[in-house]
mmCIF file of all heavy atoms in Angstrom:
data_model
loop_
_atom_site.group_PDB
_atom_site.id
_atom_site.type_symbol
_atom_site.label_atom_id
_atom_site.label_comp_id
_atom_site.label_asym_id
_atom_site.label_seq_id
_atom_site.Cartn_x
_atom_site.Cartn_y
_atom_site.Cartn_z
ATOM 1 N N ARG A 607 72.917 26.868 186.846
ATOM 2 C CA ARG A 607 74.303 26.875 186.440
ATOM 3 C C ARG A 607 74.939 25.524 186.715
ATOM 4 O O ARG A 607 74.863 25.002 187.845
ATOM 5 C CB ARG A 607 75.081 27.981 187.165
ATOM 6 C CG ARG A 607 74.776 29.365 186.627
ATOM 7 C CD ARG A 607 75.432 30.412 187.464
ATOM 8 N NE ARG A 607 75.052 31.729 187.011
ATOM 9 C CZ ARG A 607 75.180 32.833 187.739
ATOM 10 N NH1 ARG A 607 75.636 32.786 188.945
ATOM 11 N NH2 ARG A 607 74.841 33.988 187.222
ATOM 12 N N GLY A 608 75.554 24.967 185.754
ATOM 13 C CA GLY A 608 76.278 23.708 185.954
ATOM 14 C C GLY A 608 75.390 22.495 185.865
ATOM 15 O O GLY A 608 75.868 21.378 186.012
ATOM 16 N N VAL A 609 74.079 22.675 185.600
ATOM 17 C CA VAL A 609 73.194 21.501 185.536
ATOM 18 C C VAL A 609 73.187 21.032 184.090
ATOM 19 O O VAL A 609 72.351 21.440 183.274
ATOM 20 C CB VAL A 609 71.751 21.870 185.987
ATOM 21 C CG1 VAL A 609 70.852 20.627 185.917
ATOM 22 C CG2 VAL A 609 71.780 22.414 187.364
ATOM 23 N N LEU A 610 74.108 20.195 183.715
ATOM 24 C CA LEU A 610 74.288 19.631 182.406
ATOM 25 C C LEU A 610 74.550 20.713 181.358
ATOM 26 O O LEU A 610 74.368 21.915 181.592
ATOM 27 C CB LEU A 610 73.050 18.811 181.999
ATOM 28 C CG LEU A 610 72.642 17.705 182.988
ATOM 29 C CD1 LEU A 610 71.385 17.050 182.496
ATOM 30 C CD2 LEU A 610 73.726 16.681 183.139
ATOM 31 N N SER A 611 74.958 20.355 180.172
ATOM 32 C CA SER A 611 75.209 21.313 179.103
ATOM 33 C C SER A 611 73.874 21.957 178.668
ATOM 34 O O SER A 611 73.806 23.088 178.228
ATOM 35 C CB SER A 611 75.851 20.670 177.924
ATOM 36 O OG SER A 611 75.073 19.587 177.444
ATOM 37 N N PHE A 612 72.818 21.204 178.786
ATOM 38 C CA PHE A 612 71.454 21.698 178.467
ATOM 39 C C PHE A 612 71.164 22.967 179.268
ATOM 40 O O PHE A 612 70.693 23.957 178.746
ATOM 41 C CB PHE A 612 70.471 20.571 178.812
ATOM 42 C CG PHE A 612 69.017 21.002 178.940
ATOM 43 C CD1 PHE A 612 68.205 20.974 177.820
ATOM 44 C CD2 PHE A 612 68.528 21.366 180.149
ATOM 45 C CE1 PHE A 612 66.898 21.334 177.954
ATOM 46 C CE2 PHE A 612 67.187 21.690 180.260
ATOM 47 C CZ PHE A 612 66.386 21.690 179.178
ATOM 48 N N GLY A 613 71.461 22.914 180.585
ATOM 49 C CA GLY A 613 71.206 24.064 181.433
ATOM 50 C C GLY A 613 72.052 25.251 181.014
ATOM 51 O O GLY A 613 71.585 26.396 181.063
ATOM 52 N N ALA A 614 73.294 25.004 180.635
ATOM 53 C CA ALA A 614 74.171 26.071 180.236
ATOM 54 C C ALA A 614 73.686 26.780 178.957
ATOM 55 O O ALA A 614 73.706 28.015 178.853
ATOM 56 C CB ALA A 614 75.581 25.572 180.031
ATOM 57 N N VAL A 615 73.168 26.006 178.019
ATOM 58 C CA VAL A 615 72.633 26.572 176.782
ATOM 59 C C VAL A 615 71.405 27.405 177.126
ATOM 60 O O VAL A 615 71.233 28.520 176.597
ATOM 61 C CB VAL A 615 72.276 25.460 175.799
ATOM 62 C CG1 VAL A 615 71.547 26.027 174.589
ATOM 63 C CG2 VAL A 615 73.542 24.764 175.329
ATOM 64 N N ALA A 616 70.531 26.889 177.951
ATOM 65 C CA ALA A 616 69.316 27.609 178.311
ATOM 66 C C ALA A 616 69.692 28.932 179.004
ATOM 67 O O ALA A 616 69.052 29.957 178.765
ATOM 68 C CB ALA A 616 68.455 26.766 179.257
ATOM 69 N N LEU A 617 70.670 28.895 179.880
ATOM 70 C CA LEU A 617 71.082 30.101 180.600
ATOM 71 C C LEU A 617 71.538 31.160 179.584
ATOM 72 O O LEU A 617 71.190 32.330 179.692
ATOM 73 C CB LEU A 617 72.206 29.774 181.547
ATOM 74 C CG LEU A 617 72.860 30.954 182.236
ATOM 75 C CD1 LEU A 617 71.875 31.643 183.132
ATOM 76 C CD2 LEU A 617 74.067 30.508 183.063
ATOM 77 N N GLY A 618 72.356 30.762 178.609
ATOM 78 C CA GLY A 618 72.844 31.718 177.615
ATOM 79 C C GLY A 618 71.742 32.373 176.825
ATOM 80 O O GLY A 618 71.704 33.602 176.652
ATOM 81 N N ALA A 619 70.770 31.587 176.360
ATOM 82 C CA ALA A 619 69.665 32.136 175.602
ATOM 83 C C ALA A 619 68.820 33.093 176.461
ATOM 84 O O ALA A 619 68.442 34.176 176.017
ATOM 85 C CB ALA A 619 68.795 31.011 175.081
ATOM 86 N N GLY A 620 68.565 32.670 177.680
ATOM 87 C CA GLY A 620 67.776 33.531 178.560
ATOM 88 C C GLY A 620 68.429 34.867 178.853
ATOM 89 O O GLY A 620 67.785 35.898 178.881
ATOM 90 N N ALA A 621 69.743 34.856 179.038
ATOM 91 C CA ALA A 621 70.481 36.055 179.314
ATOM 92 C C ALA A 621 70.399 37.023 178.147
ATOM 93 O O ALA A 621 70.223 38.226 178.316
ATOM 94 C CB ALA A 621 71.918 35.755 179.667
ATOM 95 N N ILE A 622 70.559 36.491 176.943
ATOM 96 C CA ILE A 622 70.493 37.307 175.723
ATOM 97 C C ILE A 622 69.106 37.940 175.574
ATOM 98 O O ILE A 622 68.964 39.149 175.339
ATOM 99 C CB ILE A 622 70.863 36.469 174.487
ATOM 100 C CG1 ILE A 622 72.347 36.103 174.525
ATOM 101 C CG2 ILE A 622 70.553 37.285 173.204
ATOM 102 C CD1 ILE A 622 72.752 35.113 173.447
#
Side-chain angles (χ1 to χ4, degrees):
R607 285 174 183 160
V609 182
L610 305 177
S611 58
F612 164 89
V615 172
L617 174 64
I622 292 172

